[in-house]
Amino acid sequence: MNTLLAAGLLLLFAMPGELYRIPPHEEVARMARFVANQCNWASMATISTHEPVQGQPFSNVFSTSDGPVGSGTGVPYMYLTTMEISVQDLMVNPQASLSMSLAQTDFCKNQGYDPQDPLCAHIIFSGSVLEINGTEATFAKKALFSRHPEMVDWPTDHNWFFAKMNITKVWVLDYFGGVKTVTPEDYFKATPYKATPYKATPYKATPYKATPYRRHH
């Protein structure tokens, strides 16, 4: 196969930026860890406490981070304020679900996958949102601010705090055949998928050596 064509095909099956490859769909826990680490935001559904939708599911977008790309902890951290409508829901009922999809990256677009296509891997966390402090809050701050630098300049009078998704169940849809579930134990036990980033080998051209023309008599 032509070298350039092979390189192009490899890039198609690699994640943008760091070029970490997507795990095999059979490795469900690893796939969940991969998606959680690659995505920078999530859709969080709470039970609304606000009229006229009180008691109904209410979905909202939040920036997340589980740590550095390629070596995250698996814990989705968030930077929240009680001024936010969904956070007010959490103060009454901390139970929530958090959805992330590789449609948020360039992967699905490059593959031609619709966001609803099972091959465009997505995950749903069930659990509750808990405020954190101490050393874990210090880690969350570094994890979030490194991937969302704008947060540094958010208004200080909004009483921001760090929180995490306390996961009780993981739902994974990354292939045909229906959704799969992962326990928190298996999820956190999985080694974050870290393939060696693709490095192209520089092409070395061989200098052309002409054979001197010899005239025959």
Side-chain angles (χ1 to χ4, degrees):
M1 182 182 290
N2 180 279
T3 303
L4 292 177
L5 177 58
L9 289 175
L10 180 57
L11 287 173
L12 281 175
F13 288 88
M15 293 299 297
E18 298 297 325
L19 298 181
Y20 291 103
R21 300 184 195 177
I22 188 170
H25 67 85
E26 297 90 352
E27 300 183 33
V28 185
R30 267 190 163 181
M31 177 65 79
R33 289 287 298 271
F34 181 83
V35 175
N37 181 244
Q38 290 289 322
C39 294
N40 288 325
W41 58 272
S43 174
M44 181 166 64
T46 58
I47 301 300
S48 180
T49 58
H50 299 272
E51 295 292 351
V53 292
Q54 185 174 8
Q56 298 181 26
F58 190 82
S59 184
N60 206 346
V61 171
F62 291 89
S63 298
T64 61
S65 174
D66 76 333
V69 175
S71 58
T73 63
V75 178
Y77 291 108
M78 293 168 281
Y79 193 40
L80 306 177
T81 170
T82 55
M83 297 176 69
E84 214 286 325
I85 188 171
S86 295
V87 177
Q88 293 169 9
D89 295 339
L90 295 172
M91 294 171 67
V92 176
N93 182 353
Q95 292 183 317
S97 63
L98 206 65
S99 301
M100 301 177 180
S101 170
L102 289 185
Q104 298 165 222
T105 71
D106 288 335
F107 174 77
C108 298
K109 180 176 67 175
N110 290 343
Q111 297 299 316
Y113 298 151
D114 186 87
Q116 198 171 328
D117 190 323
L119 297 178
C120 184
H122 65 273
I123 60 175
I124 303 170
F125 294 118
S126 296
S128 56
V129 178
L130 305 177
E131 181 175 357
I132 57 175
N133 48 47
T135 56
E136 188 171 18
T138 300
F139 177 84
K141 179 178 180 179
K142 183 177 180 180
L144 284 159
F145 285 18
S146 62
R147 295 176 71 162
H148 305 280
E150 180 186 324
M151 289 180 172
V152 177
D153 297 320
W154 286 359
T156 56
D157 61 354
H158 282 30
N159 297 317
W160 297 95
F161 64 94
F162 295 98
K164 69 177 180 181
M165 184 71 180
N166 183 39
I167 300 168
T168 57
K169 200 73 173 179
V170 184
W171 309 77
V172 182
L173 186 61
D174 65 341
Y175 201 70
F176 305 107
V179 69
K180 293 165 281 189
T181 59
V182 179
T183 64
E185 293 76 18
D186 288 339
Y187 173 76
F188 287 113
K189 191 188 306 179
T191 303
Y193 194 91
K194 294 193 294 184
T196 303
Y198 171 71
K199 294 182 179 180
T201 302
Y203 173 72
K204 296 181 179 179
T206 303
Y208 172 72
K209 295 181 179 180
T211 303
Y213 172 71
R214 295 181 180 181
R215 183 176 181 181
H216 296 277
H217 296 282

